[in-house]
Every structure is written in structure tokens, then in C-alpha cells.
Amino acid sequence: MSAALLTDLTIFILALLVGIEVIGKVPATLHTPLMSATNAIHGIVLVGALLIGVTAHNAVGYVLAFIASFFAGANVVGGYTVTGRMLKMFRKKAPQGEGQPELESLDGHRGIRGLAERIGIGIGRTPS
Amino acid sequence: MSVFNGHVGFAGYIQLVYVGVAALFVVGLHLMNSPATARRGNQVALTGMVIAVIATLVLMGHEGTVTTTGWVVLIVGSLLGSAVGLWAARTVQMTAMPQLVSAFNSVGGGAAALVAIYGYYDAESRGAVLGTTSVFTVLDVLIGAVTFSGSIIAAGKPSSGGQA
């Protein structure tokens, strides 16, 4: 086992734990935008696609670089735009009800629950 | 990782930037814990992405091995893809958004598979294929390809009006 492999394995395991920790607390109402946001972050593969260019010197390399950068570009830009649109919709919906203060309150749980009630989604188990 | 052949130097600094970007992604996702901060979370993650791309372009310029054709191919490819993604994300009906996200996920997986295929192709042409390289390539291409095809199917499924 090489040192590089060991390092990558370490990063992988720690990243798994960070993922569980960060994602596990997200309330049900935010699951769809979260899915979209994590998908947008996957667009980091654009970096990999760009780096093809460093060693690509023939047709095979250029074709793969073109398709990969095209796909990754669509993933990044589309992903963030669509997530932004989803969250914007979230925001617009809130003030229609009883007003924004509850949502804006720093007490996250009350805000989430209030929003969930407003749009008619019951949160089964809110982590607390 | 082929760019970082052991010697750290300039690529090491870029790697440091990538670590910062990873932190921005985690912070961004963390901000999505609450509806009040979710939009900022998306912006933080987007900032990370912009920094990562700029750092990569700087690294490519520093390496100086990208051919003119390479630059053209990559820039045209990225911009075309971005334009298509932007157009799709702006014009899609709210009800069709899950399908669109699935489609973006699909092309992202496809890109990952292609990057892995190129990585193997490049290593092979330099005679640098190790045992582990093959294993990782197979896994990478498999996962990427499954994401690509699976998400395309998923994108077509829940639609009430035919898309994809």
C-alpha cells in the first residue's frame, strides 16, 4: 500500500463522516434543494475534465476532453442555477403566510417547523 | 492526480487551495441545515467552485503543456455545456425540476467516467499502468457509467409530460 493510497483512504473515510454529520441534520423540507446542491458540487469533476488538457496531445484526448468538459460545465452551471431557483421559491412562499419573522428567527427549529406547517408538510422527526 | 507526480512545488499550493474549496463545500452544505441560511449555503458552495476552477486554470497555465487545440477544446466545451445547463435550469418548469437535477447528475457521472477513461489511456500511453490503476479505473468508469445511464432513466420516469 503506497503512501498516496493511504492518504486518499484517510480523506475518503473522513469525508464519509463529514457527509453523515452535515447531511444527517438537514430537515425534510430542504431535502430536494440539498440533493440539487450536492449534485452541483459534484460538478467539481469539471476540474478533472480541465486537467485532461494538461496531457492531451491527440484526437482521443481532445474528444474526451471536449465531451467531459461539456458535461461537467452543464452539471456545474445548471446545478447551481437550479438550486438557486428552488431556494428562491422557498423564500417567496414563506412571506405569503404569517410573515417572515418566524422564518428569519435564529432559532432554526421553530423556523423550519413553521415553514413546514405553512406548506403543509409535517416533519416527522426534527433532530434536536 | 497524474499532474502531481510526487514533486509538490506549485501544484502543492494549488492543492492547498483545493483543501480550502473542500472546506467551503462543507460549510455551504452545513448552511443548508436551515431555510433561513440555505441560499447563502448555495452561494458559498458556488464560490468554492469558482475558486477551484480559477485555481485549476492557473495550474494549467503554469504547467504550460496545454496545447492551443487543448485550450480551444476545453474552453469551447465548458462554455457550450455551461450555456446548455444555464438555459435548461432557467427555462425548466418548477414541476420538472427533479428530472432536470437527475439529468445534471447524469452528465456529471458521464464526465467522471470519461475523466477516468482518459486517466487510464494517458497512464497506458506513458507505460505507467499499475495494478491499482486498473482497479480504480474499472470502479470509476463503472460508477460513472451507472450514474449516467441510471440518472437518464430516472430523469424520464417521474415526468407527467415527456422529457428526455
Side-chain angles (χ1 to χ4, degrees), chain B residues 55-69:
Chain B
T56 307
L57 292 174
V58 169
L59 176 65
M60 290 161 75
H62 182 83
E63 293 282 319
T65 55
V66 185
T67 60
T68 312
T69 318

PDB file of all heavy atoms in Angstrom, chain B residues 55-69:
ATOM      1  N   ALA B  55      -8.278  28.270  -9.868  1.00  0.00           N
ATOM      2  CA  ALA B  55      -7.008  27.676  -9.437  1.00  0.00           C
ATOM      3  C   ALA B  55      -6.523  26.646 -10.459  1.00  0.00           C
ATOM      4  O   ALA B  55      -5.324  26.563 -10.762  1.00  0.00           O
ATOM      5  CB  ALA B  55      -7.181  27.019  -8.067  1.00  0.00           C
ATOM      6  N   THR B  56      -7.470  25.880 -11.004  1.00  0.00           N
ATOM      7  CA  THR B  56      -7.105  24.863 -11.993  1.00  0.00           C
ATOM      8  C   THR B  56      -6.569  25.509 -13.270  1.00  0.00           C
ATOM      9  O   THR B  56      -5.573  25.048 -13.842  1.00  0.00           O
ATOM     10  CB  THR B  56      -8.324  23.975 -12.316  1.00  0.00           C
ATOM     11  OG1 THR B  56      -8.849  23.476 -11.094  1.00  0.00           O
ATOM     12  CG2 THR B  56      -7.939  22.823 -13.220  1.00  0.00           C
ATOM     13  N   LEU B  57      -7.221  26.580 -13.701  1.00  0.00           N
ATOM     14  CA  LEU B  57      -6.751  27.277 -14.902  1.00  0.00           C
ATOM     15  C   LEU B  57      -5.348  27.847 -14.681  1.00  0.00           C
ATOM     16  O   LEU B  57      -4.494  27.783 -15.572  1.00  0.00           O
ATOM     17  CB  LEU B  57      -7.734  28.390 -15.284  1.00  0.00           C
ATOM     18  CG  LEU B  57      -9.109  27.911 -15.784  1.00  0.00           C
ATOM     19  CD1 LEU B  57     -10.052  29.086 -15.985  1.00  0.00           C
ATOM     20  CD2 LEU B  57      -8.980  27.112 -17.073  1.00  0.00           C
ATOM     21  N   VAL B  58      -5.121  28.383 -13.481  1.00  0.00           N
ATOM     22  CA  VAL B  58      -3.789  28.904 -13.148  1.00  0.00           C
ATOM     23  C   VAL B  58      -2.756  27.778 -13.207  1.00  0.00           C
ATOM     24  O   VAL B  58      -1.677  27.931 -13.789  1.00  0.00           O
ATOM     25  CB  VAL B  58      -3.797  29.558 -11.740  1.00  0.00           C
ATOM     26  CG1 VAL B  58      -2.381  29.866 -11.273  1.00  0.00           C
ATOM     27  CG2 VAL B  58      -4.642  30.824 -11.746  1.00  0.00           C
ATOM     28  N   LEU B  59      -3.120  26.620 -12.631  1.00  0.00           N
ATOM     29  CA  LEU B  59      -2.211  25.469 -12.647  1.00  0.00           C
ATOM     30  C   LEU B  59      -1.897  25.043 -14.080  1.00  0.00           C
ATOM     31  O   LEU B  59      -0.740  24.771 -14.428  1.00  0.00           O
ATOM     32  CB  LEU B  59      -2.840  24.298 -11.881  1.00  0.00           C
ATOM     33  CG  LEU B  59      -2.048  22.983 -11.894  1.00  0.00           C
ATOM     34  CD1 LEU B  59      -0.722  23.157 -11.164  1.00  0.00           C
ATOM     35  CD2 LEU B  59      -2.843  21.851 -11.263  1.00  0.00           C
ATOM     36  N   MET B  60      -2.938  25.004 -14.914  1.00  0.00           N
ATOM     37  CA  MET B  60      -2.741  24.594 -16.313  1.00  0.00           C
ATOM     38  C   MET B  60      -1.816  25.563 -17.042  1.00  0.00           C
ATOM     39  O   MET B  60      -0.936  25.150 -17.807  1.00  0.00           O
ATOM     40  CB  MET B  60      -4.093  24.527 -17.030  1.00  0.00           C
ATOM     41  CG  MET B  60      -4.967  23.393 -16.554  1.00  0.00           C
ATOM     42  SD  MET B  60      -6.688  23.650 -16.992  1.00  0.00           S
ATOM     43  CE  MET B  60      -6.620  23.276 -18.740  1.00  0.00           C
ATOM     44  N   GLY B  61      -2.015  26.864 -16.760  1.00  0.00           N
ATOM     45  CA  GLY B  61      -1.142  27.865 -17.366  1.00  0.00           C
ATOM     46  C   GLY B  61       0.290  27.699 -16.900  1.00  0.00           C
ATOM     47  O   GLY B  61       1.242  27.798 -17.676  1.00  0.00           O
ATOM     48  N   HIS B  62       0.448  27.394 -15.616  1.00  0.00           N
ATOM     49  CA  HIS B  62       1.775  27.229 -15.035  1.00  0.00           C
ATOM     50  C   HIS B  62       2.486  26.002 -15.606  1.00  0.00           C
ATOM     51  O   HIS B  62       3.691  26.039 -15.883  1.00  0.00           O
ATOM     52  CB  HIS B  62       1.655  27.108 -13.520  1.00  0.00           C
ATOM     53  CG  HIS B  62       2.970  26.970 -12.822  1.00  0.00           C
ATOM     54  ND1 HIS B  62       3.755  28.049 -12.511  1.00  0.00           N
ATOM     55  CD2 HIS B  62       3.642  25.873 -12.398  1.00  0.00           C
ATOM     56  CE1 HIS B  62       4.864  27.624 -11.918  1.00  0.00           C
ATOM     57  NE2 HIS B  62       4.820  26.313 -11.830  1.00  0.00           N
ATOM     58  N   GLU B  63       1.729  24.917 -15.766  1.00  0.00           N
ATOM     59  CA  GLU B  63       2.316  23.698 -16.337  1.00  0.00           C
ATOM     60  C   GLU B  63       2.816  23.957 -17.754  1.00  0.00           C
ATOM     61  O   GLU B  63       3.834  23.417 -18.178  1.00  0.00           O
ATOM     62  CB  GLU B  63       1.279  22.567 -16.359  1.00  0.00           C
ATOM     63  CG  GLU B  63       0.860  22.060 -14.981  1.00  0.00           C
ATOM     64  CD  GLU B  63       1.882  21.125 -14.361  1.00  0.00           C
ATOM     65  OE1 GLU B  63       2.430  20.298 -15.091  1.00  0.00           O
ATOM     66  OE2 GLU B  63       2.142  21.253 -13.151  1.00  0.00           O
ATOM     67  N   GLY B  64       2.049  24.772 -18.486  1.00  0.00           N
ATOM     68  CA  GLY B  64       2.475  25.179 -19.823  1.00  0.00           C
ATOM     69  C   GLY B  64       2.475  24.088 -20.865  1.00  0.00           C
ATOM     70  O   GLY B  64       3.063  24.237 -21.926  1.00  0.00           O
ATOM     71  N   THR B  65       1.813  22.958 -20.566  1.00  0.00           N
ATOM     72  CA  THR B  65       1.819  21.855 -21.528  1.00  0.00           C
ATOM     73  C   THR B  65       0.498  21.736 -22.287  1.00  0.00           C
ATOM     74  O   THR B  65       0.338  20.841 -23.111  1.00  0.00           O
ATOM     75  CB  THR B  65       2.087  20.513 -20.819  1.00  0.00           C
ATOM     76  OG1 THR B  65       1.116  20.349 -19.780  1.00  0.00           O
ATOM     77  CG2 THR B  65       3.473  20.455 -20.235  1.00  0.00           C
ATOM     78  N   VAL B  66      -0.440  22.637 -21.989  1.00  0.00           N
ATOM     79  CA  VAL B  66      -1.728  22.572 -22.682  1.00  0.00           C
ATOM     80  C   VAL B  66      -1.545  23.161 -24.081  1.00  0.00           C
ATOM     81  O   VAL B  66      -1.081  24.290 -24.235  1.00  0.00           O
ATOM     82  CB  VAL B  66      -2.811  23.353 -21.918  1.00  0.00           C
ATOM     83  CG1 VAL B  66      -4.166  23.172 -22.585  1.00  0.00           C
ATOM     84  CG2 VAL B  66      -2.868  22.905 -20.466  1.00  0.00           C
ATOM     85  N   THR B  67      -1.891  22.373 -25.101  1.00  0.00           N
ATOM     86  CA  THR B  67      -1.736  22.851 -26.471  1.00  0.00           C
ATOM     87  C   THR B  67      -2.835  23.859 -26.795  1.00  0.00           C
ATOM     88  O   THR B  67      -3.835  23.955 -26.085  1.00  0.00           O
ATOM     89  CB  THR B  67      -1.845  21.682 -27.469  1.00  0.00           C
ATOM     90  OG1 THR B  67      -3.140  21.076 -27.302  1.00  0.00           O
ATOM     91  CG2 THR B  67      -0.773  20.647 -27.225  1.00  0.00           C
ATOM     92  N   THR B  68      -2.618  24.614 -27.874  1.00  0.00           N
ATOM     93  CA  THR B  68      -3.640  25.584 -28.288  1.00  0.00           C
ATOM     94  C   THR B  68      -4.964  24.865 -28.557  1.00  0.00           C
ATOM     95  O   THR B  68      -6.023  25.317 -28.121  1.00  0.00           O
ATOM     96  CB  THR B  68      -3.190  26.310 -29.570  1.00  0.00           C
ATOM     97  OG1 THR B  68      -1.843  26.740 -29.367  1.00  0.00           O
ATOM     98  CG2 THR B  68      -4.078  27.508 -29.849  1.00  0.00           C
ATOM     99  N   THR B  69      -4.864  23.736 -29.268  1.00  0.00           N
ATOM    100  CA  THR B  69      -6.077  22.951 -29.531  1.00  0.00           C
ATOM    101  C   THR B  69      -6.725  22.552 -28.214  1.00  0.00           C
ATOM    102  O   THR B  69      -7.943  22.629 -28.062  1.00  0.00           O
ATOM    103  CB  THR B  69      -5.737  21.664 -30.321  1.00  0.00           C
ATOM    104  OG1 THR B  69      -4.779  21.990 -31.325  1.00  0.00           O
ATOM    105  CG2 THR B  69      -6.970  21.062 -30.947  1.00  0.00           C
TER     106      THR B  69
END
